[in-house]
Amino acid sequence: MTGERNWAGNVEFTASRSSRPQTVGELQEIVSGAHGAGRPFKAIGARHSFSAVADTPGELVSMVDLDRIVDIDHAAMEVTVEAGITYGALGAELHEHGLALANLPSLPHVTVGGAVATGTHGSGSANPCLAAAVRAIDYVGPTGQLNRWSRDVSEFHGAVIALGALGIAAHLTLDVEPTFDVTQVVYRDLPMGDALAHLDEIMGSAYSVSLFTDWQRDVFHQVWVKRRRATGASTPEYHDAWLGLAPFAKPVHMVESLSADSCSAQLGVPGPWHERLPHFRQAFTPSVGDELQAEYFVDRALGGEAIRRIHSIGPELAPLVLVSEIRSVASDELWLSGSYGRDTIAIHFTFVDDEPAVMGALRTIEAAIDDLQPRPHWGKLAAMEPDQVQSRFPRFDDFTALVDAAR
């Protein structure tokens, strides 16, 4: 084994070899060579998956140097990038060209290729997952050839979130739009009962809304509200109250014992989309660092019930949970998306770094909401058996048939 690990350190990759191509041509040669030698291969980017989704016993291919913008097309309103570019780097460059992505992950440090492959999402009741912005993908197939999948290709929706099963993504073409500004205000102590009684209204009240809890209190101790504004607005949008809640008077971290220095700007000060939509700044270590993460997607209509049930087991979870975040995601047509075919509430957990205890907690959570048909995030921890995971994605059998046909 190479001894390489993921970002959190909980996954030691079992690959016997690793490589780091500098060009797409070199990537094609590596993939062709691995296939010719009978070695399976997988790509890694920012290594921010907590599951073993990127692991392989064969060759681990790091995409971190394939991080260039290939083309920005203002007429077509699209950008083509190499898969290893981070959302932070892409966002800054697009903004300089007067363009934007509609949504971003909470961490700007993750790569476009990795986020798309695992169905990672941002936030906002009208905003689908990040992979929904994909217009086309060039996969490097087993013999090193580039296989292009685009929206005008049959079964495209099965090929976008592909978990590495269709090859290694070399290029992705994404939708863009004119750049915009965002303000961010954090409010304190939203009573959980009020939130659940008006969950759809609250989650849809701004461009992006995130509710944070530790499951120990009957409140969401923080509500992060991101509002979209026209570019160039300079007046802070600092509301004295929202839903009767007072805003924090100084920046805060969602884990209240930690410094807010790593968090994106708050207090209603307008700023470009790529500096406000993520929760964290590109220049700082992402999130807590010493942690494990899990996330479940449930039908938005059932989101309140799922939250109630998890809150009821809060005392059991409390020693392990650093913070939990509730977000809303719009439905999409991507076969392996957590939001496939249904508007979604995403319930995210950031746990302490104690994997045996965390896996026990996940079994408790999954049992509590099992009949609500939760779908786990592909890049995070879950206790479900593989056949149970597969059953939660209605097009999973179609996906496996697509992979078999593409070989």
Side-chain angles (χ1 to χ4, degrees), residues 296 309-310 313 316-317 357-370 383:
Y296 299 95
R309 294 186 189 182
I310 296 171
I313 58 174
E316 185 173 345
L317 304 179
V358 166
M359 294 306 294
L362 294 182
R363 284 187 282 273
T364 300
I365 292 167
E366 291 171 10
I369 62 174
D370 181 67

Side-chain angles (χ1 to χ4, degrees), residues 299-384:
D299 190 309
R300 193 180 295 167
L302 302 175
E305 178 61 21
I307 294 167
R308 286 188 191 94
R309 294 186 189 182
I310 296 171
H311 184 244
S312 72
I313 58 174
E316 185 173 345
L317 304 179
L320 299 173
V321 174
L322 291 168
V323 73
S324 194
E325 180 180 11
I326 312 298
R327 287 178 284 179
S328 185
V329 188
S331 67
D332 59 61
E333 299 178 81
L334 306 173
W335 295 358
L336 295 192
S337 169
S339 298
Y340 171 78
R342 65 189 194 189
D343 292 330
T344 295
I345 290 295
I347 306 173
H348 179 274
F349 300 86
T350 300
F351 293 104
V352 299
D353 187 10
D354 183 347
E355 189 159 353
V358 166
M359 294 306 294
L362 294 182
R363 284 187 282 273
T364 300
I365 292 167
E366 291 171 10
I369 62 174
D370 181 67
D371 63 314
L372 305 181
Q373 297 295 299
R375 298 171 183 165
H377 189 304
W378 294 107
K380 301 185 189 296
L381 295 176
M384 294 180 188

Side-chain angles (χ1 to χ4, degrees), residues 178-225:
T179 192
F180 57 92
D181 281 354
V182 173
T183 62
Q184 179 169 242
V185 181
V186 182
Y187 298 89
R188 64 172 71 242
D189 294 343
L190 172 63
M192 192 165 289
D194 293 348
L196 300 186
H198 305 282
L199 189 62
D200 277 357
E201 176 187 349
I202 290 170
M203 300 308 286
S205 64
Y207 194 72
S208 169
V209 176
S210 293
L211 311 179
F212 289 94
T213 181
D214 56 12
W215 305 109
Q216 299 183 57
R217 296 167 279 181
D218 292 327
V219 298
F220 291 104
H221 64 275
Q222 292 179 18
V223 183
W224 291 41
V225 179

Side-chain angles (χ1 to χ4, degrees), residues 120-166:
T120 295
H121 60 95
S123 180
S125 289
N127 298 322
C129 73
L130 302 175
V134 175
R135 290 188 178 184
I137 302 182
D138 292 329
Y139 285 115
V140 179
T143 62
Q145 79 282 11
L146 285 176
N147 299 320
R148 187 168 183 81
W149 293 80
S150 60
R151 284 179 181 161
D152 59 356
V153 173
S154 176
E155 299 178 310
F156 172 73
H157 290 119
V160 180
I161 301 173
L163 313 177
L166 291 173

Side-chain angles (χ1 to χ4, degrees), residues 41-69:
F41 52 88
K42 278 285 189 77
I44 53 171
R47 307 178 187 223
H48 205 267
S49 288
F50 293 79
S51 71
V53 66
D55 194 19
T56 174
E59 185 152 359
L60 207 59
V61 184
S62 172
M63 299 292 288
V64 294
D65 294 324
L66 293 175
D67 60 352
R68 291 169 281 269
I69 295 176

